[in-house]
Amino acid sequence: ATFVVSYTLPDSYCISPESVRSLITPITKLIVPVALNGWLPDLFQIKQIITESSYRIKILLDSCQAFGCDVYNSSRNYIDAAAYSFAVTKVVTSGQGGVLCTDQPDLYSKARLIKNNGCKSIIKPHYECSGLNLKFSDILASLLHSNLRSLQSNISKIRRLHSFYTALFSKVPGYSIMPSPPHSNSFSVYSLVRAHTDPGLQKLITALEALNIEYRQFPPGLSHSNAFTVRSDLTRSNLDAKLTIYLPSGPAQPFRLIKKRLTMAVYMLS
C-alpha cells in the first residue's frame, strides 16, 4: 500500500477534512485520522466526504493518545474501528500492547486472524492469511487491570498539570500551550508547549536542561519519512512539529517538584 500524508488543522493538529477531500481517489482504501492528544478529528465531515465520493473507504481512528476520553462512543457511527495503546507513556499502561475496538464482525474476525499468525486456532493451525504473532500475556493483562483502577485519579492529575502549564506559560510571550479539547469528556493527555520561533525553542530547552527537567521533542513531520507519499504543502505542519516539545505530563509526576522547577525555568525565559 502507498501511505499518503494529509494536511492538519492549526488548532488541534488533527487531520484536515478538506485535505482528505483533495487526496482521496478511487483506489483509496483506508483513512486513519488521529485523535491527537485527546482532540477528536471532524469524523462527521470526513465520513460525509467519503459518502459523497461513492468510494468504498474505511476509517480506522487512531485513539492511542485518547484513552480515557469519550472517543469511541461519540464517533462509532462514523468509523469502522478504533485503536488504543497501553504503552508506558499512556494514561494507563500494561507496559506494551493495545486494543482494537469495532462492532463489525468481519473486521473483528480478520483482526483475530492477523494477531494469531493468520490462524483461527492455535490448537489446529491452518493458515488462512498472512499474520503476526501478537500476544497479550496474562501478566500484562493483570498489570492493565490493576492500572485501570487508577484511571480517574490519573486523569485528574493530568488535568491539574495541564492547567498549571497553561497558566504558567500565559505569562511568557513567545510560547503557547496546546489547549485542552473543547469537549467536556476529553482532556489533554500530554502537555505540549510550542515556541513561536526557533531561538525561543532553544532558549526553553536550555532552561529545562539546566534544571534537569525531562522533556521530549515532538516527532518530525511524517513527510520526512520515506514510507509516506506527500501530495500536500506540509510546511506549517512541519514547522509545528519542529517548534513543539512535550513537558512532563504523566500522572506519576511529582506535582510540587514540577511546579517549583518549571516556575524557575519560565523565570529564566523572562
Side-chain angles (χ1 to χ4, degrees):
T2 299
F3 297 91
V4 180
V5 183
S6 76
Y7 204 64
T8 56
L9 298 173
D11 54 349
S12 64
Y13 296 3
C14 288
I15 189 171
S16 163
E18 289 307 311
S19 181
V20 170
R21 188 189 302 276
S22 67
L23 292 173
I24 60 174
T25 71
I27 62 173
T28 302
K29 299 297 182 184
L30 179 69
I31 297 175
V32 187
V34 180
L36 187 68
N37 204 23
W39 283 78
L40 190 63
D42 192 341
L43 297 168
F44 172 78
Q45 192 172 351
I46 293 173
K47 184 67 173 180
Q48 195 171 37
I49 290 170
I50 294 174
T51 302
E52 292 171 357
S53 72
S54 299
Y55 302 151
R56 299 180 64 182
I57 303 173
K58 291 189 178 297
I59 299 177
L60 169 62
L61 180 62
D62 180 342
S63 304
C64 294
Q65 290 192 359
F67 189 80
C69 304
D70 187 12
V71 168
Y72 185 69
N73 286 335
S74 59
S75 61
R76 62 189 305 172
N77 292 332
Y78 312 118
I79 65 174
D80 297 281
Y84 292 91
S85 170
F86 299 133
V88 292
T89 60
K90 308 306 178 186
V91 182
V92 293
T93 180
S94 60
Q96 61 182 6
V99 64
L100 182 71
C101 299
T102 182
D103 56 8
Q104 300 184 18
D106 58 331
L107 285 180
Y108 172 77
S109 298
K110 188 63 178 286
R112 284 189 64 87
L113 278 175
I114 291 174
K115 77 174 285 291
N116 196 38
N117 282 321
C119 301
K120 279 187 176 180
S121 170
I122 60 173
I123 306 300
K124 297 180 180 180
H126 174 70
Y127 296 102
E128 300 192 20
C129 68
S130 298
L132 301 168
N133 187 22
L134 302 175
K135 296 293 188 293
F136 197 72
S137 70
D138 291 344
I139 294 176
L140 295 181
S142 298
L143 180 60
L144 176 63
H145 185 267
S146 176
N147 279 325
L148 281 172
R149 299 171 184 169
S150 304
L151 176 60
Q152 294 305 319
S153 173
N154 288 352
I155 291 174
S156 297
K157 292 175 182 178
I158 291 170
R159 286 183 185 271
R160 185 186 186 193
L161 265 177
H162 187 270
S163 296
F164 164 68
Y165 290 139
T166 300
L168 184 65
F169 278 89
S170 67
K171 306 172 184 177
V172 187
Y175 301 91
S176 54
I177 296 291
M178 182 178 181
S180 294
H183 329 290
S184 60
N185 53 0
S186 293
F187 61 97
S188 292
V189 178
Y190 305 108
S191 292
L192 306 177
V193 58
R194 186 190 187 281
H196 298 175
T197 63
D198 188 62
L201 177 67
Q202 298 309 315
K203 189 175 181 180
L204 174 59
I205 289 176
T206 299
L208 295 175
E209 291 180 344
L211 295 168
N212 293 319
I213 299 171
E214 184 179 351
Y215 67 91
R216 187 157 54 99
Q217 290 194 265
F218 208 73
L222 291 178
S223 60
H224 293 284
S225 170
N226 293 330
F228 296 90
T229 299
V230 179
R231 295 176 184 156
S232 304
D233 178 13
L234 300 178
T235 302
R236 203 215 69 250
S237 297
N238 287 330
L239 184 62
D240 286 339
K242 179 182 178 182
L243 296 177
T244 301
I245 62 173
Y246 292 86
L247 295 172
S249 307
Q253 297 291 341
F255 181 76
R256 291 183 179 179
L257 181 60
I258 290 294
K259 183 177 181 180
K260 179 180 179 180
R261 291 195 177 182
L262 258 296
T263 302
M264 292 173 63
V266 167
Y267 177 79
M268 293 170 64
L269 298 176
S270 54

